[in-house]
């Protein structure tokens, strides 16, 4: 079905994309790849939009060039391939601004409690779009017999949105994620024999049994100076310096890679299911089921999560956004 009424030129990448979708029954019968000029909402309005937030689609027309021709991978146009500029556009919204993270982005109604962005599409459709751009899948994280980080084609991911004043913004996805500070920092001091006592308001906690000094959360320069005035032992002063250094906000530096997730037979129906549709679309904690993961060791275990939302940089919850995903190799300057 050609929704724009014009012939659709399908590249070899799109053939791969379609084969991926057809081979595992990932599309419903009423879905088809179609070429939709950005800004033409007539087609989108007439198509099913069960997984689309209409406000998101409508408010994001401005972040794309209206002269571009984008290939929509679903009737609602929430996942679009820009073959000319070798990028994938995925629409969604901000759902979380504070707290520890397992995901940068998840499909809507999956893991919003630990993801900054919920996208209006299943993870399988993002996978298909990356195949259309020529991306190659890698391998998911392995924990046994020894840890091996996820591998895959390096991706550049940017986030675009419009603020309340109508101003356009575009930043790297990494800039919305920082090292986790909402956790306890620990300094081991086994050679201290006496039981230390600190005022509750100091924030310092001494575990005499484990011989560990603990501090929770981000430490300011002012708090560091205040605490160092209360102790004379050089070991305690060094621990306070360590807490200060370790608890400073630092943007995530890890690269994103296209892992590709996994398929598994549904135990009831026997049909193949794409596991990342359960939430693991763009991960910042390592999951073997991720479509896109970070190319570094990043635990997915509870209180040990390495990353959290960079609250001050993220627009209000419900802000519509567009993820722009590109192959790093395609964006590298030519020699």
């Amino acid at each position: 079905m050609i929704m724009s009424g014009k012939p659709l030129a399908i590249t070899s990448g799109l053939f791969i994309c379609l084969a991926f979708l057809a081979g595992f029954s990932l599309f419903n019968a009423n879905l088809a790849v179609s070429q939709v000029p950005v800004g033409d909402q007539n087609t989108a309005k007439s198509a099913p939009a069960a997984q689309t937030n209409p406000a998101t689609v409508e408010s994001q027309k401005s972040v794309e060039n209206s002269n571009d021709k984008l290939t929509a991978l679903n009737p609602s146009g929430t996942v679009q391939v820009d073959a000319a500029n070798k990028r994938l556009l995925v629409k969604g919204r901000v759902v979380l601004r504070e707290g520890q993270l397992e995901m940068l982005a998840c499909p809507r109604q999956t893991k919003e409690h630990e993801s900054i962005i919920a996208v209006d599409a299943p993870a399988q459709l993002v996978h298909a779009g990356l195949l259309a751009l020529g991306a190659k899948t890698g391998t998911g994280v392995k924990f046994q017999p020894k840890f091996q980080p996820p591998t895959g084609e390096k991706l550049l991911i940017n986030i675009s949105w419009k603020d309340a004043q109508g101003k356009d913004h575009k930043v790297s996805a990494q800039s919305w994620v920082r090292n986790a500070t909402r956790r306890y920092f620990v300094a081991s001091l086994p050679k201290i024999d006496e039981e230390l006592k600190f005022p509750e308001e100091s924030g310092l906690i001494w575990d005499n049994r484990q011989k560990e000094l603990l501090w929770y959360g981000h430490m300011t320069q002012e708090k560091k100076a205040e605490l160092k005035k209360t102790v004379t032992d050089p070991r305690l002063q060094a621990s306070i310096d360590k807490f200060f250094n370790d608890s400073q906000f630092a943007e995530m530096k890890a690269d994103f890679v296209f892992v590709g997730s996994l398929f598994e037979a549904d135990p009831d129906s026997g049909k193949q299911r794409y596991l990342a549709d359960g939430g693991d679309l763009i991960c910042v904690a390592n999951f073997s089921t991720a479509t896109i993961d970070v190319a570094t060791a990043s635990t997915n275990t509870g209180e040990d999560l390495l990353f959290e939302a960079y609250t001050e940089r993220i627009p209000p919850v419900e802000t519509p956004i567009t993820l722009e995903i590109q192959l790093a190799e395609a964006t590298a300057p030519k020699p």
Side-chain angles (χ1 to χ4, degrees):
M1 178 174 64
I2 307 301
M3 297 171 66
S4 64
K6 299 178 182 179
L8 174 61
I10 301 180
T11 66
S12 59
L14 284 176
F15 274 122
I16 295 173
C17 163
L18 289 170
F20 172 85
L21 293 169
F24 294 97
S25 302
L26 296 179
F27 265 158
N28 293 324
N30 66 329
L31 298 183
V33 175
S34 56
Q35 181 126 335
V36 183
V38 174
D40 180 0
Q41 298 299 312
N42 294 329
T43 306
K45 289 180 180 177
S46 64
Q51 297 201 23
T52 303
N53 181 337
T56 299
V57 175
E58 191 65 26
S59 64
Q60 293 216 63
K61 292 186 286 185
S62 62
V63 302
E64 295 136 6
N65 188 325
S66 61
N67 294 322
D68 285 345
K69 299 292 185 179
L70 305 179
T71 301
L73 297 188
N74 56 349
S76 54
T78 58
V79 180
Q80 299 171 321
V81 174
D82 179 1
N85 296 302
K86 297 184 178 179
R87 60 181 185 153
L88 185 69
L89 302 177
V90 184
K91 298 178 182 180
R93 58 192 172 90
V94 174
V95 292
L96 181 147
R97 297 183 67 249
E98 294 187 47
Q100 291 184 303
L101 299 173
E102 292 188 354
M103 316 294 156
L104 169 73
C106 67
R108 192 154 60 94
Q109 296 182 346
T110 57
K111 293 186 175 182
E112 282 94 331
H113 62 290
E114 51 202 4
S115 176
I116 297 174
I117 296 164
V119 304
D120 297 317
Q124 56 189 305
L125 205 55
V126 176
H127 185 140
L130 289 171
L131 292 181
L133 293 177
K136 295 178 174 60
T137 59
T139 57
V141 62
K142 291 182 174 61
F143 297 100
Q144 298 295 335
K146 65 178 183 177
F147 178 83
Q148 296 180 42
T151 67
E153 188 138 11
K154 180 181 174 182
L155 302 174
L156 299 182
I157 305 177
N158 290 310
I159 307 169
S160 299
W161 77 98
K162 188 182 289 290
D163 64 25
Q165 289 70 44
K167 181 179 178 181
D168 290 323
H169 299 266
K170 182 176 177 179
V171 300
S172 71
Q174 282 89 341
S175 71
W176 279 17
V177 182
R178 69 188 180 203
N179 62 300
T181 61
R182 291 177 173 85
R183 66 182 183 88
Y184 280 101
F185 296 90
V186 180
S188 180
L189 299 167
K191 294 184 179 181
I192 291 183
D193 296 326
E194 67 270 25
E195 183 171 352
L196 303 176
K197 300 290 186 181
F198 297 100
E200 185 176 345
E201 62 270 18
S202 74
L204 292 172
I205 301 172
W206 174 247
D207 183 339
N208 194 52
R209 182 176 180 180
Q210 299 295 329
K211 300 298 181 183
E212 292 177 340
L213 187 65
L214 293 87
W215 168 266
Y216 183 86
H218 169 65
M219 182 182 288
T220 65
Q221 182 74 47
E222 293 75 17
K223 188 65 176 180
K224 181 182 81 166
E226 173 192 322
L227 290 174
K228 292 188 74 173
K229 289 179 181 178
T230 65
V231 297
T232 57
D233 190 314
R235 295 168 295 182
L236 296 178
Q237 293 220 345
S239 296
I240 292 169
D241 284 333
K242 183 178 186 300
F243 292 152
F244 174 78
N245 293 331
D246 291 348
S247 69
Q248 296 311 293
F249 299 143
E251 180 180 306
M252 187 182 83
K253 301 300 182 186
D255 292 326
F256 288 106
V257 291
F258 179 32
V259 174
S261 194
L262 300 166
F263 288 95
E264 182 179 83
D266 184 281
D268 297 322
S269 67
K271 293 182 179 180
Q272 293 287 328
R273 60 183 181 182
Y274 185 70
L275 297 184
D277 281 340
D280 305 341
L281 174 55
I282 304 178
C283 300
V284 297
N286 299 143
F287 285 90
S288 60
T289 51
T291 298
I292 299 169
D293 206 344
V294 286
T296 189
S298 180
T299 178
N300 60 28
T301 306
E303 296 179 355
D304 296 325
L305 293 173
L306 298 185
F307 299 110
E308 66 187 22
Y310 211 136
T311 305
E312 296 80 3
R313 296 180 175 181
I314 303 171
V317 169
E318 297 297 333
T319 298
I321 64 91
T322 296
L323 290 169
E324 178 185 280
I325 308 175
Q326 295 179 285
L327 279 59
E329 183 178 333
T331 62
K334 296 181 180 180

